[in-house]
């Protein structure tokens, strides 16, 4: 929201540059999209045919990037697969994401966990599962020219997630809403829940790490690397 032009340059122009380079060098392109391109779910679970809704400058730029990548498949026969991860999380995730935000507050001793809206739901996929999905997409001839969702097919609200993280951390805290962390009303994506059947069918991929397993591993990593976070500051 603070630098929308930078997202256009990085995601749209950047994808055009990468696709052109792949074309020159005879490389296959596995393009990273995002579930954010779907916006708030109109129907669930979300298939790859769900309408694209640019509810933020970021999602708009990723929609443009997806189209640039696929245009190279249609126009130049560049081997392209578009992969749409649903809320990847795990050790080493950016401090501005919701899971490390909550864990950093917990492991710093906070008794109140400050969040934006707690009602939206997300489909959280552990980093190793997402990585395996990318590798499976890269190996699959059947996936060329296609869009694939990488998600677990399960959703959880941010509020319920916070309570699961409190349990995973072994701490005690309450969840409070911080108005400064709320997104603009029209841009808040209220529900994301993947339909991952196409990825399963075309690549043989399936997620393996349960949410509780992933949260415990991520909690342990954040606790061991707390100096990498600024728990009292909202990361933008």
């Amino acid at each position: 929201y603070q630098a929308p032009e930078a997202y256009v340059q990085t995601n749209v122009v950047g994808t055009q540059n990468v696709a052109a380079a792949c074309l020159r060098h005879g490389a296959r392109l596995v393009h990273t999209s995002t579930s954010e391109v779907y916006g708030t779910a109109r129907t669930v679970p979300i298939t790859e045919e769900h309408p694209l809704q640019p509810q933020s400058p970021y999602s708009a730029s990723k929609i443009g990037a997806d189209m640039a990548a696929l245009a190279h498949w249609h126009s130049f026969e560049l081997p392209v697969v578009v992969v749409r991860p649903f809320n990847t999380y795990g050790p080493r995730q950016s401090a501005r994401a919701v899971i490390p935000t909550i864990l950093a507050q917990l492991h710093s001793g906070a008794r109140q966990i400050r969040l934006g809206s707690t009602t939206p739901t997300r489909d959280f996929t552990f980093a190793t599962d997402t990585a395996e999905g990318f590798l499976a997409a890269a190996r699959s001839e059947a996936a060329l020219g296609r869009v694939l969702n990488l998600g677990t097919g399960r959703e959880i609200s941010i509020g319920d997630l916070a309570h699961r993280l409190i349990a995973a951390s072994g701490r005690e805290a309450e969840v409070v809403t911080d108005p400064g962390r709320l997104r603009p009303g029209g841009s808040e994506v209220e529900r994301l829940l993947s339909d991952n059947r196409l990825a399963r069918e075309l690549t043989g991929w399936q997620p393996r790490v349960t949410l509780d397993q992933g949260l415990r591993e991520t909690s342990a990593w954040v606790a061991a690397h707390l100096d990498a976070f600024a728990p009292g500051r909202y990361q933008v």
Side-chain angles (χ1 to χ4, degrees), residues 88-89 93-103 124 229 234-235:
T88 300
Y89 73 100
Q93 187 176 14
S94 165
R96 61 181 293 274
V98 66
I99 288 176
T101 290
I102 295 171
L103 288 171
F124 288 99
F229 297 89
Y234 179 37
Q235 305 284 353

Side-chain angles (χ1 to χ4, degrees), residues 117-136:
S117 180
T118 58
T119 57
T121 66
R122 295 292 184 266
D123 183 335
F124 288 99
T125 311
F126 195 63
T128 55
D129 282 335
T130 299
E132 288 177 0
F134 271 84
L135 293 172

Side-chain angles (χ1 to χ4, degrees), residues 45-133:
I46 296 172
T47 72
E48 291 81 0
E49 302 301 319
H50 188 282
L52 304 180
Q53 302 179 105
Q55 288 184 224
S56 68
Y58 167 70
S59 63
S61 72
K62 292 298 288 184
I63 292 170
D66 292 1
M67 298 305 109
L70 290 170
H72 281 73
W73 161 259
H74 292 294
S75 297
F76 309 116
E77 298 183 347
L78 176 69
V80 171
V81 184
V82 174
V83 175
R84 289 185 178 145
F86 277 66
N87 296 96
T88 300
Y89 73 100
R92 301 177 182 83
Q93 187 176 14
S94 165
R96 61 181 293 274
V98 66
I99 288 176
T101 290
I102 295 171
L103 288 171
Q105 292 180 67
L106 286 167
H107 287 299
S108 66
R111 302 304 294 267
Q112 288 190 332
I113 304 306
R114 306 180 69 81
L115 297 175
S117 180
T118 58
T119 57
T121 66
R122 295 292 184 266
D123 183 335
F124 288 99
T125 311
F126 195 63
T128 55
D129 282 335
T130 299
E132 288 177 0

Side-chain angles (χ1 to χ4, degrees), residues 51 104 218:
T218 307

